[in-house]
Structure formats: structure tokens, C-alpha cells
Amino acid sequence: AFWWLLARIAGWNPAAAGIQTDLSWVRVPEGGTAQFHVRLTNAPAANVTVSAVRLSGDSDLSVQSGAALTFTTANWNVYQTVTLAAAEDIDQINGLATIRLSTPSLPNKDISVQEIDNDRPMARYVPLMILLLD
């Protein structure tokens, strides 16, 4: 009981529901996909649908599946999967984006996403090619 009292004094609220993820940062290979998982911290009184959308950042990064996850009183504590995709592009930049998980009844949860670019910089090879063709 003493630990419970100390946790409550520190701000822990066992009744407060929220969105929980297994990761707070996801790396997605360019041209590929990566996943993270979502669940609720407490049982809802009624069904809750959590939306996953790209809030900001590189438009090459997107939610491929799991854009709408429904949690019930029976499955609120079971992780559901969100799959992210990174489209191929011609730049050599590791793009960044923020994915927002939201529902009208709970605080939002943001996930940071980084695209791992697979393009090699050509500028390093151009002088060598000019020398070889000369």
C-alpha cells in the first residue's frame, strides 16, 4: 500500500487510460516497411478506435496498414500492428516524419519515424568517371 501511495503522490493515475506503443522511434528502410504495436493502458467503457496518420514530415513515409485500430473491453490490452512504408525516392536524405495516434477520448501519442535512405551519392563518382572517359 505504501508504494501505491508514493506512486499516486508522484502523479500515477491507475484509472487514466491512454495509448501505449512498444516503440517511440521507428526506422523504415527506403522501399520497405517497418512495424510498431499499439494497445490501450486501461479497459475502455466502450469501443475505442485509434487512428494512425502522418502528422508532419517527409511525404515518402506513410501508414500502409493499421490506420484505424479498434479496441474493445475484450482486446484493449492486446497489441495491434501499424505498418509504415517508405517510398523509393531519388534523394539521398534520411527523411523524418511524425505519426500521430489519436482518438477523441484519449491523449494523442506521437511516434517519430526515420526513413533509411538506400541511394548512394553520385557526386563522389562523377570526377572518377570523367577521368576514365578522358
Side-chain angles (χ1 to χ4, degrees):
F2 181 68
W3 69 266
W4 187 87
L5 177 62
L6 290 177
R8 292 290 288 156
I9 291 170
W12 174 64
N13 184 355
I19 300 169
Q20 183 178 38
T21 59
D22 65 335
L23 301 171
S24 60
W25 181 265
V26 180
R27 299 175 75 185
V28 185
E30 183 179 70
T33 61
Q35 299 177 331
F36 67 95
H37 302 94
V38 180
R39 68 180 179 183
L40 300 181
T41 58
N42 291 71
N47 289 358
V48 172
T49 299
V50 174
S51 299
V53 297
R54 184 180 57 81
L55 178 66
S56 62
D58 190 341
S59 61
D60 291 339
L61 294 162
S62 63
V63 177
Q64 185 180 60
S65 65
L69 306 172
T70 301
F71 294 93
T72 67
T73 55
N75 76 348
W76 64 271
N77 61 345
V78 177
Y79 277 118
Q80 295 186 41
T81 303
V82 175
T83 302
L84 305 176
E88 287 284 350
D89 57 25
I90 60 171
D91 67 34
Q92 300 154 9
I93 299 169
N94 291 332
L96 299 173
T98 300
I99 302 297
R100 172 155 288 171
L101 302 169
S102 64
T103 184
S105 60
L106 298 173
N108 296 334
K109 173 87 173 176
D110 291 344
I111 302 294
S112 298
V113 182
Q114 180 182 31
E115 168 195 30
I116 305 305
D117 204 280
N118 62 5
D119 298 311
R120 293 181 180 226
M122 287 302 295
R124 295 181 190 166
Y125 304 105
V126 171
L128 178 60
M129 291 173 63
I130 290 172
L131 287 173
L132 292 174
L133 296 175
D134 226 4

